[in-house]
Amino acid sequence: MNRLVAFYDRGVEIAASRIPESVALFLLRLALAGVFWRSGQTKVVEGSFLQIDPSQYDLFASEFSGLPLDPVLAVPLTTYAEHFFPILLLLGLATRFSAGALLVMTLVIQIFVFPDAWWPVHSLWVAMAAILIPRGGGLFSLDALLARVRAT
């Protein structure tokens, strides 16, 4: 029994070490960024560089009418945030801030747009952001590289 416990403890030690944790944090950053990037892509004209699709203003005015912002402001803010923060997350630059911004977006979507989507969808996005905020981007991030440069 002691061998089994020791084997388990060693496995936990390896899995919780810096490299495996950093791989997991990278995959988590990638997953959360992917969700918001794909959503942002639905708001721009296909093949353009962030040219907002005019139909988005009507969509926000009708389908997302619960938002406390006018579509004239909400559409560009949402579109640019859904592109900017995922890029930062993918790079691991300002990871905690970016995850926090996406957490706030998720909560706004949950409260004002899709209140019935908590369990199947939004709870997962909140969990991903809630891990990245305290843990950061891990070793494979620009945040870690900048921290090493600042330390020297």
Side-chain angles (χ1 to χ4, degrees):
M1 185 63 157
N2 285 343
R3 288 186 120 181
L4 184 59
V5 170
F7 180 74
Y8 174 80
D9 288 344
R10 180 66 182 137
V12 168
E13 183 182 325
I14 291 168
S17 64
R18 294 185 72 190
I19 300 286
E21 179 188 56
S22 293
V23 169
L25 289 170
F26 172 74
L27 294 172
L28 192 59
R29 291 184 352 241
L30 182 64
L32 185 58
V35 166
F36 283 90
W37 179 266
R38 286 188 307 276
S39 177
Q41 287 291 286
T42 67
K43 294 172 180 63
V44 297
V45 174
E46 189 174 335
S48 73
F49 181 72
L50 295 182
Q51 179 186 347
I52 295 173
D53 183 342
S55 68
Q56 291 302 309
Y57 293 96
D58 294 332
L59 180 68
F60 271 61
S62 60
E63 297 292 318
F64 308 150
S65 60
L67 282 172
L69 290 174
D70 186 278
V72 171
L73 184 58
V75 170
L77 281 176
T78 303
T79 302
Y80 299 139
E82 287 181 332
H83 285 88
F84 180 67
F85 294 120
I87 289 170
L88 289 179
L89 270 186
L90 187 61
L91 297 172
L93 182 61
T95 301
R96 289 176 168 93
F97 176 76
S98 299
L102 295 178
L103 173 62
V104 169
M105 284 187 70
T106 300
L107 294 176
V108 168
I109 294 166
Q110 172 61 38
I111 293 166
F112 296 108
V113 182
F114 298 117
D116 295 333
W118 171 252
W119 186 245
V121 178
H122 298 151
S123 61
L124 298 175
W125 301 353
V126 167
M128 287 189 272
I131 291 169
L132 290 170
I133 292 169
R135 301 302 293 178
L139 292 175
F140 309 122
S141 68
L142 288 179
D143 290 337
L145 177 64
L146 291 172
R148 286 192 296 273
V149 167
R150 279 195 315 259
T152 58

